[in-house]
Amino acid sequence: MERTFIMVKPDGVQRNLIGDIVERFEKKGFKLVGAKLMQIPTELAETHYGEHSDKPFFGELVGFITSGPVFAMVWEGENVILTARKMMGATNPTESDVATIRGDYGLTVGKNVIHGSDSPESAAREIDLFFDSKELISYEKDSDKWTY
Ligand code: DAT
Ligand code: MG
């Protein structure tokens, strides 16, 4: 079963959106297999956002993501990587559809509430960066048979 890395960014934590975001993924049918509140060290932020290291907004991005606690999660389910990206909405909230997380709660591209892996490769990389394998739990839910 596919897994993806999802993170409520510092703005989402401060704006009390953890519960809403968890609820959306739960109700969709995805399974939470790991979660923790954490403050990201600068080095981890730079590695996580390494693909953007040459962009003009890199310093601002690293400063923002390390500015307060984030809620890091791993979600599991069929096509969860692509579906989670759809549920998040476009990077720039002016372009994200209503009823997506960014469309409902974001106003600027910098403070856009949530991160989600954009491919199977980045999901594997980001899960490994943020979680120890012992922190992830494979388990059955009675509701699985009503989801699949
Ligand atoms: P996404 O988070 O949708 O995967 P991304 O990987 O292109 O988007 O960029 C990572 C984050 O960097 C994004 O969530 C917000 C920030 N960002 C992207 N483009 C930006 C820009 N032009 N100005 C400021 N911040 C930007
Ligand atoms: Mg990205």
Side-chain angles (χ1 to χ4, degrees):
M1 200 58 95
E2 197 171 86
R3 289 180 172 181
T4 195
F5 175 67
I6 299 289
M7 170 168 72
V8 182
K9 294 183 179 182
D11 55 333
V13 173
Q14 294 294 330
R15 292 175 56 200
N16 308 311
L17 297 174
I18 293 174
D20 178 287
I21 289 168
V22 168
E23 185 176 8
R24 288 177 187 234
F25 288 104
E26 271 192 315
K27 285 184 172 170
K28 179 70 176 169
F30 294 128
K31 188 185 291 182
L32 187 63
V33 297
K36 59 185 169 188
L37 188 73
M38 63 184 286
Q39 180 98 29
I40 304 182
T42 300
E43 193 178 59
L44 174 58
E46 288 172 348
T47 305
H48 171 64
Y49 280 129
E51 63 172 311
H52 300 299
S53 61
D54 54 354
K55 308 264 173 65
F57 58 82
F58 184 66
E60 189 188 336
L61 178 59
V62 169
F64 167 60
I65 209 71
T66 58
S67 66
V70 300
F71 193 62
M73 298 168 276
V74 177
W75 287 90
E76 182 180 272
E78 205 162 292
N79 297 314
V80 67
I81 300 170
L82 188 63
T83 305
R85 291 286 297 188
K86 286 188 181 161
M87 291 167 67
M88 286 162 52
T91 308
N92 190 331
T94 61
E95 284 156 22
S96 39
D97 292 330
V98 292
T100 63
I101 294 162
R102 287 165 168 176
D104 284 350
Y105 301 130
L107 286 174
T108 70
V109 67
K111 295 191 173 71
N112 59 7
V113 178
I114 186 168
H115 169 85
S117 309
D118 63 6
S119 67
E121 295 70 31
S122 62
R125 178 180 163 275
E126 292 169 1
I127 290 169
D128 192 53
L129 260 181
F130 281 85
F131 285 90
D132 193 279
S133 59
K134 290 196 289 286
E135 296 176 303
L136 303 177
I137 301 174
S138 295
Y139 61 105
E140 303 298 319
K141 286 176 102 172
D142 290 342
S143 58
D144 287 346
K145 63 177 178 287
W146 301 105
T147 305
Y148 295 101

